[in-house]
Amino acid sequence: MASGNSVDDFTGVNSIDIGEGRQLNLYKAKNAAINITRQDGTVVTLKNFQDGDMASTSKTNNKVDSMSDAQASPAASVSYDSLGTGTVTLQQGSASNDLLSDLYNQDEVFGFHLAYGDEISGGDHCMIQKTPDAPFGKTVPTRAWTIVIYDYKYDGNRNA
């Protein structure tokens, strides 16, 4: 009888051939890295997230804005704006709240990156936008931290 988790022991692959040219891709949340790099170079992996999305990043503004007039003449502008936003939602008791609180209170500029497989997003120059709301109630409370990313980058194929 096999020991351990059957998905983890499944020949170490990230997908399963299910026939007829199809693949079942396996996502393993435990392999997602959500890291803060402090000014002194210390890298801290965030832990103890809410049930659901752990973290997300997004580009704040469009890279390309387009328009067309009534006679179908198009025009477009390309913006080199690199602003982005990161959101991390933690359990209220997570030690990662202490770290993020310290970053906020010290006005520290830090790196923030989300990585999974070949995909990475985030930036090297970030700050906490504001403290999270702090509800308490019947269920485990969460803290949603908003991070401003001043040099947002996304690479969906960094190892190619």
Side-chain angles (χ1 to χ4, degrees):
M1 177 173 224
S3 65
N5 184 314
S6 61
V7 171
D8 289 338
D9 294 339
F10 191 81
T11 67
V13 298
N14 292 320
S15 63
I16 300 168
D17 182 352
I18 58 174
E20 299 177 8
R22 299 177 299 154
Q23 297 261 327
L24 170 66
N25 293 318
L26 300 173
Y27 168 73
K28 301 173 188 172
K30 71 177 189 168
N31 295 339
I34 303 162
N35 294 325
I36 297 281
T37 304
R38 305 224 34 194
Q39 287 181 352
D40 66 4
T42 304
V43 177
V44 180
T45 299
L46 301 180
K47 303 277 186 197
N48 303 111
F49 301 95
Q50 72 169 352
D51 181 20
D53 289 342
M54 299 182 293
S56 65
T57 59
S58 63
K59 182 133 174 40
T60 302
N61 298 307
N62 295 336
K63 181 177 182 178
V64 177
D65 282 312
S66 303
M67 57 87 62
S68 178
D69 69 11
Q71 296 178 331
S73 296
S77 66
V78 177
S79 170
Y80 295 95
D81 176 326
S82 62
L83 280 178
T85 301
T87 303
V88 176
T89 307
L90 302 166
Q91 299 168 15
Q92 181 271 334
S94 172
S96 295
N97 284 309
D98 296 341
L99 168 66
L100 295 174
S101 183
D102 286 347
L103 293 171
Y104 175 79
N105 290 326
Q106 296 171 19
D107 297 326
E108 185 173 331
V109 176
F110 57 91
F112 174 72
H113 294 92
L114 306 181
Y116 183 83
D118 292 343
E119 186 176 25
I120 189 167
S121 61
D124 296 323
H125 300 90
C126 309
M127 291 183 78
I128 304 290
Q129 185 174 51
K130 66 175 189 157
T131 58
D133 293 342
F136 293 90
K138 182 178 179 181
T139 61
V140 175
T142 60
R143 302 291 180 259
W145 293 87
T146 302
I147 299 167
V148 177
I149 304 168
Y150 296 103
D151 55 350
Y152 181 81
K153 294 177 195 77
Y154 172 85
D155 187 347
N157 198 20
R158 68 179 168 155
N159 295 324

